[in-house]
């Protein structure tokens, strides 16, 4: 196998393990779920930290995305997916707790003081030491998606 900076030759390509189309789709879906989850986590945590009335995350998007990322994290543990960090059962349990606390805050309930610290730990468990850059980019993608599909009505709007 050549050094990572060298181009692959035909002989090297034979050594690579090819993924099935289903596995490639799963990997792409899980990566997208993780990216949007980190975006929503960052947006929510920042809004709570600032004390904003509007938490800027659609509750259904939060629930669906964090449920999806929990599943993706379990697939990491099972060895079907690989990412920049080694996901543990404790990481999944923290993500579940974050999903519950975030859902409560988004539905007008308690804004737990634990949410900010838990959000940071969850973002780090997905992206490792590079979580800050990943979270900034992901929040930008999540905000862009919210501009196209209005979170309260579900109707499409023209991108701004």
């Amino acid at each position: 196998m050549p050094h990572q900076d060298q181009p692959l030759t035909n002989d090297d390509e034979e050594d690579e393990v090819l993924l099935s189309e289903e596995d490639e789709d799963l990997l792409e879906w899980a990566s997208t779920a993780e990216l949007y989850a980190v975006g929503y986590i960052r947006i929510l945590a920042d809004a709570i930290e600032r004390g904003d009335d509007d938490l800027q995350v659609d509750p259904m998007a939060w629930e669906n995305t964090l449920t999806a990322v929990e599943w993706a994290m379990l697939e990491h543990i099972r060895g079907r997916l690989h990412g920049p960090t080694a996901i543990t059962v404790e990481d999944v349990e923290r993500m579940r707790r974050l999903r519950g606390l975030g859902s409560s805050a988004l539905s007008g309930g308690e804004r737990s003081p634990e949410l900010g610290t838990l959000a940071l730990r969850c973002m780090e468990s997905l992206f490792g030491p590079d979580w800050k850059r990943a979270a900034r980019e992901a929040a930008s993608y999540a905000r862009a998606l919210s501009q196209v599909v209005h979170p309260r009505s579900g109707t499409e709007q023209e991108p701004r």
Side-chain angles (χ1 to χ4, degrees), residues 67-135:
T67 298
V69 86
E70 286 171 26
W71 181 86
M73 291 171 82
L74 289 170
E75 290 299 295
H76 281 273
I77 292 170
R78 291 182 186 114
R80 288 200 62 204
L81 295 174
H82 303 282
T85 64
I87 302 293
T88 66
V89 172
E90 292 80 17
D91 294 327
V92 177
E93 290 169 0
R94 272 193 296 278
M95 188 64 73
R96 284 185 182 139
R97 176 123 176 93
L98 178 64
R99 179 172 48 92
L101 292 175
S103 292
S104 175
L106 289 166
S107 66
E110 177 189 4
R111 295 181 179 193
S112 172
E114 175 189 5
L115 203 139
T117 303
L118 192 57
L120 296 176
R121 296 272 322 265
C122 288
M123 289 187 288
E124 186 175 25
S125 72
L126 291 173
F127 287 93
D130 200 24
W131 70 267
K132 288 181 184 179
R133 183 192 57 77

Side-chain angles (χ1 to χ4, degrees), residues 6-105:
Q6 295 176 337
L8 292 176
T9 65
N10 286 340
D11 293 338
D12 298 323
E13 289 174 2
E14 291 174 11
D15 294 339
E16 288 186 29
V17 176
L18 297 177
L19 295 175
S20 71
E21 190 173 319
E22 181 181 325
D23 285 343
E24 284 182 14
D25 289 345
L26 173 65
L27 181 60
E28 182 179 342
W29 176 84
S31 297
T32 301
E34 289 172 355
L35 182 67
Y36 277 101
V38 169
Y40 290 138
I41 292 167
R42 177 71 185 251
I43 291 168
L44 180 67
D46 287 350
I48 288 175
E49 185 177 307
R50 288 188 306 266
D52 295 354
D53 289 334
D54 180 3
L55 297 179
Q56 304 173 22
V57 176
D58 178 62
M60 186 66 74
W62 173 267
E63 188 68 28
N64 290 340
T65 303
L66 267 70
T67 298
V69 86
E70 286 171 26
W71 181 86
M73 291 171 82
L74 289 170
E75 290 299 295
H76 281 273
I77 292 170
R78 291 182 186 114
R80 288 200 62 204
L81 295 174
H82 303 282
T85 64
I87 302 293
T88 66
V89 172
E90 292 80 17
D91 294 327
V92 177
E93 290 169 0
R94 272 193 296 278
M95 188 64 73
R96 284 185 182 139
R97 176 123 176 93
L98 178 64
R99 179 172 48 92
L101 292 175
S103 292
S104 175

Side-chain angles (χ1 to χ4, degrees), residues 118-156:
L118 192 57
L120 296 176
R121 296 272 322 265
C122 288
M123 289 187 288
E124 186 175 25
S125 72
L126 291 173
F127 287 93
D130 200 24
W131 70 267
K132 288 181 184 179
R133 183 192 57 77
R136 270 193 311 276
E137 289 178 16
S140 137
Y141 296 142
R143 285 186 187 100
L145 181 63
S146 293
Q147 289 178 357
V148 175
V149 178
H150 191 274
R152 303 224 192 310
S153 68
T155 59
E156 290 192 25

